Amino acid sequence: MSFSTVKSAAMEGLAVEIVYVEADVSNGLPVFHMVGYLSSEVKEAAERVRSAVRNSGLEFPAKRVVINLSPATMRKRGASFDLPIAVAILTSLGVLQQNRRMKDCMIIGELGLDGQVRKVPGILSMVSEAKARKVTSCIVPRENEKSRTCRRNPDYAVGSLRECIS
């Protein structure tokens, strides 16, 4: 598979919007290109994700990687898209299998260069909205769960990118 989609979420004022993170990995000149209406911290995800994948013991191949964060009309801010971008890429590479459970899952989290998943603001609102929209499971940073920010228990709290692929 060279294409995959992962659900995530973004805060738009006080509202939560579902964001679809699409990844296309193909042969060609090695490039990591991100499209959508992105803030600078979202654009910087390319370097965080590439380093996190490598430092998690996985290979980041020299391929053409295109990431689309949809809807394109909504400004995306923050680092909460790092983990869903990494998961979408790993799914496109065949490291992870895109199954029904993955399609019904929302993924949120910032990545450190070492592959650790860091907490993000607004997680309670995002998880609540996911449940209201019948998303069957959520993968969130373990740090958010520990700090009781996420009072509605997520289905899966992770501390590292490696945990997402194990």
Side-chain angles (χ1 to χ4, degrees):
M1 176 181 274
S2 66
F3 175 80
S4 67
T5 302
V6 171
K7 284 182 190 155
S8 192
M11 298 297 297
E12 180 77 9
L14 295 176
V16 175
E17 295 295 328
I18 301 296
V19 174
Y20 295 91
V21 179
E22 300 172 324
D24 182 69
V25 179
S26 60
N27 291 329
L29 291 175
V31 65
F32 196 125
H33 188 65
M34 293 180 54
V35 295
Y37 188 22
L38 312 175
S39 67
S40 60
E41 62 268 15
V42 177
K43 291 176 186 174
E44 293 166 354
E47 295 307 317
R48 287 190 299 273
V49 167
R50 188 187 329 259
S51 294
V53 168
R54 255 194 342 266
N55 290 322
S56 294
L58 301 166
E59 185 179 334
F60 198 98
K63 298 217 177 234
R64 177 178 173 76
V65 176
V66 178
I67 302 294
N68 179 40
L69 276 68
S70 177
T73 56
M74 184 186 77
R75 178 105 166 139
K76 275 65 107 205
R77 295 178 174 86
S80 64
F81 299 109
D82 294 0
L83 184 58
I85 289 169
V87 169
I89 290 169
L90 293 172
T91 303
S92 292
L93 291 169
V95 175
L96 293 170
Q97 297 300 312
Q98 185 157 11
N99 53 29
R100 182 181 168 103
R101 183 177 179 267
M102 183 68 81
K103 288 185 179 192
D104 293 334
C105 181
M106 179 179 285
I107 303 172
I108 306 159
E110 177 182 347
L111 285 173
L113 299 181
D114 59 355
Q116 295 301 302
V117 178
R118 297 183 177 153
K119 71 181 184 175
V120 296
I123 198 80
L124 176 60
S125 298
M126 290 184 232
V127 169
S128 295
E129 183 65 22
K131 298 299 180 183
R133 293 192 187 199
K134 308 282 191 251
V135 172
T136 58
S137 62
C138 295
I139 296 175
V140 300
R142 186 170 293 130
E143 286 183 15
N144 281 107
E145 183 186 55
K146 286 180 182 176
S147 67
R148 295 188 179 266
T149 303
C150 191
R151 291 188 187 121
R152 290 188 184 185
N153 292 340
D155 303 291
Y156 194 34
V158 295
S160 70
L161 176 60
R162 193 84 187 147
E163 287 179 43
C164 287
I165 60 173
S166 302

Short mmCIF file of all heavy atoms in Angstrom, two decimals, residues 78-139:
data_model
loop_
_atom_site.label_atom_id
_atom_site.label_comp_id
_atom_site.label_asym_id
_atom_site.label_seq_id
_atom_site.Cartn_x
_atom_site.Cartn_y
_atom_site.Cartn_z
N GLY A 78 -0.33 23.69 16.01
CA GLY A 78 0.16 22.83 17.07
C GLY A 78 0.89 21.61 16.56
O GLY A 78 1.01 21.39 15.35
N ALA A 79 1.38 20.83 17.51
CA ALA A 79 2.17 19.64 17.18
C ALA A 79 1.38 18.35 17.37
O ALA A 79 1.96 17.27 17.30
CB ALA A 79 3.43 19.62 18.05
N SER A 80 0.07 18.43 17.57
CA SER A 80 -0.72 17.23 17.84
C SER A 80 -0.88 16.33 16.62
O SER A 80 -1.39 15.21 16.75
CB SER A 80 -2.10 17.62 18.37
OG SER A 80 -2.84 18.33 17.40
N PHE A 81 -0.43 16.76 15.45
CA PHE A 81 -0.54 15.94 14.24
C PHE A 81 0.68 15.06 14.01
O PHE A 81 0.68 14.24 13.09
CB PHE A 81 -0.76 16.83 13.01
CG PHE A 81 -2.03 17.63 13.09
CD1 PHE A 81 -1.99 18.99 13.29
CD2 PHE A 81 -3.26 17.00 12.99
CE1 PHE A 81 -3.15 19.72 13.38
CE2 PHE A 81 -4.43 17.73 13.09
CZ PHE A 81 -4.38 19.10 13.28
N ASP A 82 1.72 15.20 14.83
CA ASP A 82 2.95 14.42 14.64
C ASP A 82 2.68 12.91 14.64
O ASP A 82 3.09 12.21 13.72
CB ASP A 82 3.97 14.71 15.75
CG ASP A 82 4.52 16.12 15.73
OD1 ASP A 82 4.13 16.92 14.85
OD2 ASP A 82 5.34 16.42 16.62
N LEU A 83 2.02 12.44 15.68
CA LEU A 83 1.76 11.00 15.79
C LEU A 83 0.87 10.49 14.66
O LEU A 83 1.21 9.47 14.04
CB LEU A 83 1.19 10.65 17.17
CG LEU A 83 0.96 9.17 17.46
CD1 LEU A 83 2.26 8.38 17.34
CD2 LEU A 83 0.35 9.00 18.85
N PRO A 84 -0.24 11.15 14.33
CA PRO A 84 -1.04 10.64 13.21
C PRO A 84 -0.28 10.68 11.87
O PRO A 84 -0.48 9.79 11.04
CB PRO A 84 -2.27 11.54 13.18
CG PRO A 84 -2.03 12.63 14.13
CD PRO A 84 -0.93 12.24 15.03
N ILE A 85 0.58 11.66 11.67
CA ILE A 85 1.38 11.71 10.45
C ILE A 85 2.31 10.51 10.40
O ILE A 85 2.41 9.82 9.38
CB ILE A 85 2.18 13.03 10.34
CG1 ILE A 85 1.22 14.19 10.06
CG2 ILE A 85 3.25 12.94 9.26
CD1 ILE A 85 1.86 15.57 10.21
N ALA A 86 2.98 10.22 11.51
CA ALA A 86 3.90 9.07 11.56
C ALA A 86 3.15 7.76 11.32
O ALA A 86 3.61 6.90 10.56
CB ALA A 86 4.62 9.03 12.91
N VAL A 87 1.99 7.59 11.94
CA VAL A 87 1.20 6.37 11.77
C VAL A 87 0.74 6.24 10.31
O VAL A 87 0.77 5.14 9.73
CB VAL A 87 0.02 6.33 12.75
CG1 VAL A 87 -0.95 5.21 12.41
CG2 VAL A 87 0.53 6.17 14.18
N ALA A 88 0.30 7.35 9.71
CA ALA A 88 -0.14 7.30 8.31
C ALA A 88 1.01 6.90 7.39
O ALA A 88 0.84 6.08 6.48
CB ALA A 88 -0.71 8.65 7.89
N ILE A 89 2.20 7.42 7.63
CA ILE A 89 3.37 7.06 6.81
C ILE A 89 3.72 5.60 7.00
O ILE A 89 3.95 4.87 6.02
CB ILE A 89 4.57 7.97 7.15
CG1 ILE A 89 4.31 9.40 6.66
CG2 ILE A 89 5.86 7.42 6.52
CD1 ILE A 89 5.31 10.42 7.17
N LEU A 90 3.77 5.14 8.25
CA LEU A 90 4.12 3.74 8.52
C LEU A 90 3.09 2.79 7.94
O LEU A 90 3.42 1.69 7.50
CB LEU A 90 4.29 3.52 10.03
CG LEU A 90 5.48 4.24 10.64
CD1 LEU A 90 5.46 4.13 12.16
CD2 LEU A 90 6.80 3.72 10.08
N THR A 91 1.83 3.21 7.88
CA THR A 91 0.80 2.40 7.25
C THR A 91 1.01 2.36 5.74
O THR A 91 0.91 1.30 5.12
CB THR A 91 -0.61 2.95 7.60
OG1 THR A 91 -0.75 2.97 9.02
CG2 THR A 91 -1.69 2.09 6.99
N SER A 92 1.33 3.50 5.16
CA SER A 92 1.61 3.55 3.71
C SER A 92 2.81 2.69 3.33
O SER A 92 2.85 2.13 2.24
CB SER A 92 1.86 4.99 3.26
OG SER A 92 0.68 5.74 3.36
N LEU A 93 3.77 2.59 4.23
CA LEU A 93 4.97 1.77 3.99
C LEU A 93 4.73 0.29 4.24
O LEU A 93 5.57 -0.54 3.94
CB LEU A 93 6.13 2.26 4.86
CG LEU A 93 6.71 3.62 4.50
CD1 LEU A 93 7.66 4.09 5.59
CD2 LEU A 93 7.42 3.55 3.16
N GLY A 94 3.59 -0.05 4.84
CA GLY A 94 3.28 -1.44 5.13
C GLY A 94 3.79 -1.92 6.48
O GLY A 94 3.67 -3.10 6.80
N VAL A 95 4.36 -1.02 7.29
CA VAL A 95 4.83 -1.38 8.62
C VAL A 95 3.64 -1.65 9.53
O VAL A 95 3.66 -2.55 10.36
CB VAL A 95 5.73 -0.27 9.21
CG1 VAL A 95 6.12 -0.57 10.64
CG2 VAL A 95 6.97 -0.07 8.34
N LEU A 96 2.58 -0.88 9.36
CA LEU A 96 1.32 -1.08 10.07
C LEU A 96 0.24 -1.47 9.06
O LEU A 96 0.28 -1.02 7.92
CB LEU A 96 0.88 0.21 10.77
CG LEU A 96 1.75 0.70 11.92
CD1 LEU A 96 1.33 2.09 12.33
CD2 LEU A 96 1.65 -0.24 13.10
N GLN A 97 -0.71 -2.25 9.49
CA GLN A 97 -1.81 -2.66 8.61
C GLN A 97 -2.99 -1.72 8.81
O GLN A 97 -3.38 -1.44 9.94
CB GLN A 97 -2.24 -4.10 8.94
CG GLN A 97 -1.15 -5.12 8.70
CD GLN A 97 -0.70 -5.12 7.25
OE1 GLN A 97 -1.53 -5.14 6.35
NE2 GLN A 97 0.60 -5.10 7.03
N GLN A 98 -3.54 -1.22 7.71
CA GLN A 98 -4.73 -0.39 7.80
C GLN A 98 -5.94 -1.32 7.77
O GLN A 98 -6.33 -1.82 6.73
CB GLN A 98 -4.81 0.62 6.66
CG GLN A 98 -5.98 1.55 6.84
CD GLN A 98 -5.80 2.87 6.11
OE1 GLN A 98 -4.90 3.01 5.31
NE2 GLN A 98 -6.65 3.82 6.39
N ASN A 99 -6.49 -1.54 8.95
CA ASN A 99 -7.66 -2.42 9.06
C ASN A 99 -8.86 -1.59 9.52
O ASN A 99 -8.78 -0.39 9.69
CB ASN A 99 -7.37 -3.57 10.03
CG ASN A 99 -6.87 -3.08 11.36
OD1 ASN A 99 -7.21 -1.98 11.81
ND2 ASN A 99 -6.04 -3.86 12.02
N ARG A 100 -9.96 -2.26 9.73
CA ARG A 100 -11.19 -1.56 10.12
C ARG A 100 -11.01 -0.81 11.43
O ARG A 100 -11.47 0.31 11.59
CB ARG A 100 -12.34 -2.57 10.23
CG ARG A 100 -13.64 -1.91 10.58
CD ARG A 100 -14.75 -2.94 10.69
NE ARG A 100 -15.91 -2.33 11.28
CZ ARG A 100 -16.98 -1.95 10.60
NH1 ARG A 100 -17.02 -2.12 9.31
NH2 ARG A 100 -17.99 -1.39 11.22
N ARG A 101 -10.30 -1.42 12.37
CA ARG A 101 -10.08 -0.76 13.66
C ARG A 101 -9.31 0.54 13.48
O ARG A 101 -9.61 1.55 14.09
CB ARG A 101 -9.32 -1.69 14.60
CG ARG A 101 -9.12 -1.08 15.97
CD ARG A 101 -8.43 -2.07 16.91
NE ARG A 101 -8.23 -1.47 18.19
CZ ARG A 101 -7.11 -0.84 18.55
NH1 ARG A 101 -6.11 -0.74 17.73
NH2 ARG A 101 -7.00 -0.32 19.75
N MET A 102 -8.31 0.54 12.60
CA MET A 102 -7.51 1.73 12.35
C MET A 102 -8.37 2.82 11.69
O MET A 102 -8.22 3.99 12.00
CB MET A 102 -6.32 1.39 11.47
CG MET A 102 -5.39 2.55 11.22
SD MET A 102 -4.50 3.11 12.65
CE MET A 102 -3.19 1.92 12.69
N LYS A 103 -9.27 2.43 10.80
CA LYS A 103 -10.11 3.41 10.11
C LYS A 103 -11.08 4.09 11.06
O LYS A 103 -11.50 5.21 10.81
CB LYS A 103 -10.87 2.74 8.96
CG LYS A 103 -9.99 2.40 7.80
CD LYS A 103 -10.79 1.85 6.65
CE LYS A 103 -9.84 1.55 5.50
NZ LYS A 103 -10.53 1.28 4.27
N ASP A 104 -11.46 3.42 12.13
CA ASP A 104 -12.40 3.98 13.09
C ASP A 104 -11.70 4.54 14.33
O ASP A 104 -12.32 4.68 15.37
CB ASP A 104 -13.40 2.91 13.52
CG ASP A 104 -14.31 2.49 12.38
OD1 ASP A 104 -14.53 3.31 11.47
OD2 ASP A 104 -14.79 1.35 12.38
N CYS A 105 -10.42 4.84 14.21
CA CYS A 105 -9.61 5.29 15.34
C CYS A 105 -9.15 6.73 15.12
O CYS A 105 -8.80 7.11 14.01
CB CYS A 105 -8.41 4.36 15.47
SG CYS A 105 -7.32 4.77 16.84
N MET A 106 -9.15 7.52 16.18
CA MET A 106 -8.60 8.88 16.12
C MET A 106 -7.26 8.86 16.85
O MET A 106 -7.15 8.29 17.93
CB MET A 106 -9.53 9.88 16.79
CG MET A 106 -8.98 11.30 16.78
SD MET A 106 -10.10 12.47 17.54
CE MET A 106 -11.31 12.58 16.25
N ILE A 107 -6.26 9.49 16.24
CA ILE A 107 -4.91 9.50 16.80
C ILE A 107 -4.46 10.93 17.01
O ILE A 107 -4.56 11.76 16.09
CB ILE A 107 -3.93 8.76 15.87
CG1 ILE A 107 -4.42 7.33 15.62
CG2 ILE A 107 -2.52 8.76 16.45
CD1 ILE A 107 -3.64 6.56 14.57
N ILE A 108 -3.95 11.21 18.21
CA ILE A 108 -3.53 12.57 18.57
C ILE A 108 -2.24 12.47 19.39
O ILE A 108 -2.16 11.67 20.31
CB ILE A 108 -4.61 13.27 19.42
CG1 ILE A 108 -5.96 13.25 18.72
CG2 ILE A 108 -4.20 14.68 19.79
CD1 ILE A 108 -7.14 13.44 19.64
N GLY A 109 -1.23 13.29 19.07
CA GLY A 109 -0.04 13.33 19.89
C GLY A 109 1.14 14.02 19.23
O GLY A 109 1.29 13.97 18.01
N GLU A 110 1.95 14.66 20.04
CA GLU A 110 3.19 15.27 19.58
C GLU A 110 4.32 14.26 19.73
O GLU A 110 4.31 13.45 20.66
CB GLU A 110 3.51 16.51 20.43
CG GLU A 110 4.82 17.17 20.08
CD GLU A 110 5.14 18.37 20.95
OE1 GLU A 110 4.27 18.88 21.67
OE2 GLU A 110 6.31 18.80 20.91
N LEU A 111 5.28 14.30 18.83
CA LEU A 111 6.43 13.40 18.91
C LEU A 111 7.70 14.17 19.25
O LEU A 111 7.96 15.24 18.69
CB LEU A 111 6.66 12.68 17.58
CG LEU A 111 5.72 11.56 17.23
CD1 LEU A 111 5.97 11.07 15.82
CD2 LEU A 111 5.85 10.41 18.23
N GLY A 112 8.49 13.59 20.15
CA GLY A 112 9.84 14.09 20.37
C GLY A 112 10.75 13.44 19.34
O GLY A 112 10.38 12.44 18.71
N LEU A 113 11.92 13.97 19.15
CA LEU A 113 12.86 13.41 18.18
C LEU A 113 13.25 11.98 18.52
O LEU A 113 13.65 11.21 17.65
CB LEU A 113 14.12 14.28 18.07
CG LEU A 113 13.89 15.72 17.61
CD1 LEU A 113 15.23 16.45 17.53
CD2 LEU A 113 13.16 15.78 16.29
N ASP A 114 13.13 11.62 19.80
CA ASP A 114 13.48 10.27 20.24
C ASP A 114 12.33 9.28 20.07
O ASP A 114 12.46 8.10 20.40
CB ASP A 114 13.92 10.29 21.70
CG ASP A 114 12.86 10.83 22.65
OD1 ASP A 114 11.79 11.28 22.17
OD2 ASP A 114 13.10 10.82 23.87
N GLY A 115 11.18 9.74 19.57
CA GLY A 115 10.03 8.86 19.37
C GLY A 115 9.07 8.84 20.54
O GLY A 115 8.05 8.13 20.48
N GLN A 116 9.35 9.60 21.58
CA GLN A 116 8.43 9.67 22.72
C GLN A 116 7.22 10.51 22.34
O GLN A 116 7.33 11.50 21.62
CB GLN A 116 9.12 10.28 23.94
CG GLN A 116 10.25 9.42 24.49
CD GLN A 116 9.78 8.04 24.89
OE1 GLN A 116 8.89 7.89 25.72
NE2 GLN A 116 10.37 7.01 24.30
N VAL A 117 6.04 10.12 22.83
CA VAL A 117 4.81 10.84 22.56
C VAL A 117 4.58 11.81 23.72
O VAL A 117 4.56 11.40 24.88
CB VAL A 117 3.61 9.89 22.40
CG1 VAL A 117 2.32 10.66 22.17
CG2 VAL A 117 3.85 8.92 21.25
N ARG A 118 4.40 13.07 23.37
CA ARG A 118 4.22 14.12 24.38
C ARG A 118 2.78 14.59 24.42
O ARG A 118 2.05 14.53 23.44
CB ARG A 118 5.14 15.29 24.05
CG ARG A 118 6.59 14.89 24.10
CD ARG A 118 7.48 16.06 23.86
NE ARG A 118 8.87 15.63 23.97
CZ ARG A 118 9.87 16.21 23.34
NH1 ARG A 118 9.63 17.24 22.55
NH2 ARG A 118 11.10 15.77 23.51
N LYS A 119 2.39 15.11 25.59
CA LYS A 119 1.01 15.55 25.77
C LYS A 119 0.70 16.76 24.91
O LYS A 119 1.59 17.52 24.53
CB LYS A 119 0.69 15.81 27.23
CG LYS A 119 1.33 17.02 27.83
CD LYS A 119 0.92 17.11 29.29
CE LYS A 119 1.46 18.38 29.92
NZ LYS A 119 0.99 18.54 31.28
N VAL A 120 -0.59 16.92 24.63
CA VAL A 120 -1.08 18.03 23.83
C VAL A 120 -2.26 18.69 24.53
O VAL A 120 -2.99 18.03 25.27
CB VAL A 120 -1.48 17.57 22.41
CG1 VAL A 120 -0.29 17.05 21.64
CG2 VAL A 120 -2.58 16.54 22.45
N PRO A 121 -2.47 19.98 24.29
CA PRO A 121 -3.63 20.65 24.89
C PRO A 121 -4.91 20.30 24.15
O PRO A 121 -4.89 19.94 22.97
CB PRO A 121 -3.29 22.15 24.72
CG PRO A 121 -2.36 22.20 23.55
CD PRO A 121 -1.59 20.90 23.56
N GLY A 122 -6.02 20.38 24.87
CA GLY A 122 -7.34 20.19 24.25
C GLY A 122 -7.76 18.75 24.07
O GLY A 122 -8.75 18.47 23.40
N ILE A 123 -7.06 17.81 24.69
CA ILE A 123 -7.32 16.39 24.45
C ILE A 123 -8.71 15.97 24.94
O ILE A 123 -9.38 15.17 24.28
CB ILE A 123 -6.21 15.50 25.07
CG1 ILE A 123 -6.24 14.10 24.46
CG2 ILE A 123 -6.33 15.41 26.56
CD1 ILE A 123 -5.59 14.02 23.14
N LEU A 124 -9.17 16.52 26.05
CA LEU A 124 -10.49 16.15 26.57
C LEU A 124 -11.58 16.50 25.56
O LEU A 124 -12.44 15.67 25.25
CB LEU A 124 -10.76 16.84 27.91
CG LEU A 124 -12.15 16.61 28.51
CD1 LEU A 124 -12.39 15.14 28.75
CD2 LEU A 124 -12.30 17.41 29.78
N SER A 125 -11.52 17.69 25.00
CA SER A 125 -12.50 18.10 24.00
C SER A 125 -12.43 17.22 22.76
O SER A 125 -13.45 16.85 22.18
CB SER A 125 -12.28 19.56 23.60
OG SER A 125 -12.46 20.40 24.71
N MET A 126 -11.20 16.90 22.33
CA MET A 126 -11.03 16.09 21.13
C MET A 126 -11.58 14.67 21.32
O MET A 126 -12.26 14.14 20.44
CB MET A 126 -9.56 16.06 20.71
CG MET A 126 -9.05 17.38 20.19
SD MET A 126 -7.35 17.24 19.61
CE MET A 126 -6.57 18.58 20.48
N VAL A 127 -11.29 14.06 22.46
CA VAL A 127 -11.78 12.70 22.72
C VAL A 127 -13.30 12.71 22.87
O VAL A 127 -13.98 11.81 22.36
CB VAL A 127 -11.08 12.10 23.97
CG1 VAL A 127 -11.76 10.81 24.41
CG2 VAL A 127 -9.61 11.86 23.68
N SER A 128 -13.83 13.72 23.54
CA SER A 128 -15.30 13.82 23.68
C SER A 128 -15.98 13.95 22.33
O SER A 128 -16.99 13.31 22.07
CB SER A 128 -15.66 15.02 24.56
OG SER A 128 -15.18 14.83 25.86
N GLU A 129 -15.40 14.76 21.45
CA GLU A 129 -15.97 14.93 20.11
C GLU A 129 -15.86 13.65 19.30
O GLU A 129 -16.78 13.29 18.55
CB GLU A 129 -15.27 16.08 19.37
CG GLU A 129 -15.85 16.38 18.01
CD GLU A 129 -17.28 16.90 18.04
OE1 GLU A 129 -17.74 17.42 19.08
OE2 GLU A 129 -17.97 16.78 17.00
N ALA A 130 -14.76 12.95 19.45
CA ALA A 130 -14.58 11.67 18.74
C ALA A 130 -15.68 10.70 19.15
O ALA A 130 -16.30 10.04 18.30
CB ALA A 130 -13.21 11.09 19.04
N LYS A 131 -15.93 10.59 20.44
CA LYS A 131 -16.97 9.68 20.92
C LYS A 131 -18.35 10.12 20.42
O LYS A 131 -19.16 9.28 20.04
CB LYS A 131 -16.96 9.60 22.45
CG LYS A 131 -15.66 9.07 23.04
CD LYS A 131 -15.37 7.66 22.59
CE LYS A 131 -14.06 7.18 23.23
NZ LYS A 131 -13.67 5.86 22.80
N ALA A 132 -18.60 11.44 20.40
CA ALA A 132 -19.89 11.95 19.90
C ALA A 132 -20.08 11.63 18.42
O ALA A 132 -21.21 11.45 17.97
CB ALA A 132 -19.97 13.46 20.13
N ARG A 133 -18.98 11.54 17.69
CA ARG A 133 -19.06 11.24 16.25
C ARG A 133 -18.90 9.74 15.97
O ARG A 133 -18.62 9.35 14.85
CB ARG A 133 -18.00 12.03 15.50
CG ARG A 133 -18.27 13.52 15.51
CD ARG A 133 -17.40 14.21 14.54
NE ARG A 133 -17.53 15.65 14.65
CZ ARG A 133 -17.17 16.47 13.70
NH1 ARG A 133 -16.68 16.01 12.57
NH2 ARG A 133 -17.30 17.77 13.86
N LYS A 134 -19.05 8.94 16.98
CA LYS A 134 -19.04 7.48 16.85
C LYS A 134 -17.68 6.91 16.41
O LYS A 134 -17.62 5.85 15.80
CB LYS A 134 -20.13 7.00 15.87
CG LYS A 134 -21.50 7.54 16.16
CD LYS A 134 -22.16 6.80 17.29
CE LYS A 134 -23.62 7.17 17.40
NZ LYS A 134 -23.97 7.95 18.52
N VAL A 135 -16.59 7.63 16.73
CA VAL A 135 -15.26 7.08 16.52
C VAL A 135 -15.09 5.99 17.58
O VAL A 135 -15.35 6.22 18.76
CB VAL A 135 -14.17 8.18 16.65
CG1 VAL A 135 -12.78 7.59 16.62
CG2 VAL A 135 -14.34 9.21 15.55
N THR A 136 -14.68 4.81 17.16
CA THR A 136 -14.69 3.67 18.08
C THR A 136 -13.53 3.63 19.05
O THR A 136 -13.65 3.02 20.11
CB THR A 136 -14.72 2.34 17.29
OG1 THR A 136 -13.57 2.29 16.44
CG2 THR A 136 -15.99 2.22 16.47
N SER A 137 -12.39 4.25 18.72
CA SER A 137 -11.27 4.24 19.65
C SER A 137 -10.38 5.46 19.43
O SER A 137 -10.42 6.08 18.37
CB SER A 137 -10.44 2.95 19.51
OG SER A 137 -9.89 2.87 18.22
N CYS A 138 -9.61 5.78 20.45
CA CYS A 138 -8.70 6.93 20.39
C CYS A 138 -7.33 6.50 20.91
O CYS A 138 -7.24 5.77 21.89
CB CYS A 138 -9.20 8.08 21.24
SG CYS A 138 -10.74 8.80 20.69
N ILE A 139 -6.29 6.96 20.25
CA ILE A 139 -4.93 6.79 20.72
C ILE A 139 -4.44 8.17 21.11
O ILE A 139 -4.43 9.08 20.28
CB ILE A 139 -4.02 6.16 19.63
CG1 ILE A 139 -4.51 4.76 19.29
CG2 ILE A 139 -2.56 6.13 20.11
CD1 ILE A 139 -3.76 4.10 18.15
#
